[in-house]
Amino acid sequence: MASFRLYAMRVLLVEDEKRLAELLRSGLGEEGFAVDVAHNGREGLWMATENRYDAIVLDVMLPLVNGYTVCRRLRDAGDWTPIMMLTAKDGEYDEAEALDMGADDFVSKPFSYVVLLARLRALVRRGGHERPVVLTAGDLVVDPAGLRCRRGEAEITLTPKEFAVLHALARRAGEVVSKPELLEQAWDFAYEGDPSIVEVYISALRRKIDAPFGRSTLVTVRGAGYRLDGGS
């Protein structure tokens, strides 16, 4: 069986403690998450309404608009993205208030990063309402919910970031996906590194999903991007 720490998921982190936000962003990024960061409630609410996320990690004590209000406004607008709330407070009444506002989980500071990560994984797996569908391109199968990838009956082991890139391509199999779109979906909203990193991961994926099977399904469309085909 292929081994993954996490599949391609986009998370919004709303946290005003900038050092903590950067530590969480870095740690979650290493686990395969694409993480966008907001440092106040107003910015977080705007980002949550303008972009689609698989989960939101939301601090309670935020400048401008507090986390309870952000959560309530999202739920009132019909947005049921899974929300994990963080707070320096402790006690059953604070937890009850977070859950009453529509949060899905609650973690008190100081928290264990290992525990937060495990609970975030569980939250993402449960999703807002439905289990992620299994994606296919010919005999290539990408299973986000099962954290697996295979070609026919052969399991393929990918790193979290390789899986993130493949997942982004598989969701639009047969279509051209541009490099900026891959950067946004598999890295994060404000990635400022070398965009040629995409080419590195595309090459790695070809060595794993195509070359061993005599296939050429991951196609470069010159000047436009990349396409995952279902043919041979």
Side-chain angles (χ1 to χ4, degrees):
M1 178 183 295
S3 175
F4 304 109
R5 287 175 291 177
L6 196 69
Y7 57 100
M9 283 290 140
R10 190 174 181 192
V11 172
L12 173 62
L13 170 62
V14 190
E15 169 59 64
D16 64 319
E17 295 181 33
K18 293 186 177 181
R19 183 173 180 275
L20 175 59
E22 185 54 38
L23 288 172
L24 287 175
R25 179 178 184 171
S26 176
L28 294 174
E30 291 178 0
E31 296 295 329
F33 287 98
V35 184
D36 294 346
V37 177
H39 294 299
N40 64 66
R42 185 178 298 165
E43 180 185 18
L45 183 59
W46 178 82
M47 292 178 70
T49 55
E50 290 295 314
N51 303 285
R52 182 175 180 178
Y53 294 98
D54 298 288
I56 299 172
V57 179
L58 177 64
D59 191 21
V60 168
M61 304 301 291
L62 291 168
L64 303 182
V65 180
N66 68 44
Y68 293 134
T69 302
V70 172
C71 183
R72 188 187 70 247
R73 288 183 182 176
L74 289 173
R75 296 311 189 225
D76 288 346
D79 186 335
W80 291 97
T81 302
I83 294 177
M84 173 185 290
M85 300 197 77
L86 308 178
T87 181
K89 296 181 178 182
D90 194 11
E92 59 183 10
Y93 293 106
D94 297 313
E95 180 173 356
E97 185 173 0
L99 297 176
D100 285 344
M101 291 296 170
D104 299 277
D105 201 357
F106 179 98
V107 177
S108 296
K109 299 177 182 177
F111 52 80
S112 161
Y113 173 72
V114 173
V115 172
L116 180 143
L117 177 60
R119 292 175 72 163
L120 182 59
R121 284 172 169 166
L123 193 64
V124 168
R125 283 197 298 269
R126 292 198 300 270
H129 292 286
E130 298 180 354
R131 176 186 175 94
V133 297
V134 173
L135 304 169
T136 61
D139 64 348
L140 181 68
V141 178
V142 179
D143 179 6
L147 312 183
R148 302 174 68 182
C149 174
R150 59 184 170 83
R151 172 78 75 179
E153 298 302 317
E155 297 284 349
I156 302 172
T157 300
L158 303 176
T159 68
K161 193 61 71 179
E162 288 168 351
F163 196 90
V165 174
L166 180 60
H167 186 211
L169 291 164
R171 283 185 295 184
R172 294 174 55 186
E175 300 179 20
V176 176
V177 183
S178 70
K179 185 181 295 184
E181 288 175 314
L182 286 174
L183 284 170
E184 180 179 331
Q185 294 177 46
W187 276 262
D188 61 59
F189 182 72
Y191 178 76
E192 296 180 350
D194 187 348
S196 65
I197 190 68
V198 172
E199 298 165 15
V200 174
Y201 281 92
I202 291 293
S203 294
L205 283 171
R206 285 186 174 126
R207 290 194 297 270
K208 292 185 176 183
I209 70 170
D210 277 348
F213 306 95
R215 305 296 181 84
S216 55
T217 58
L218 186 44
V219 178
T220 298
V221 180
R222 191 174 299 276
Y226 304 94
R227 185 181 67 242
L228 183 64
D229 288 336
S232 58

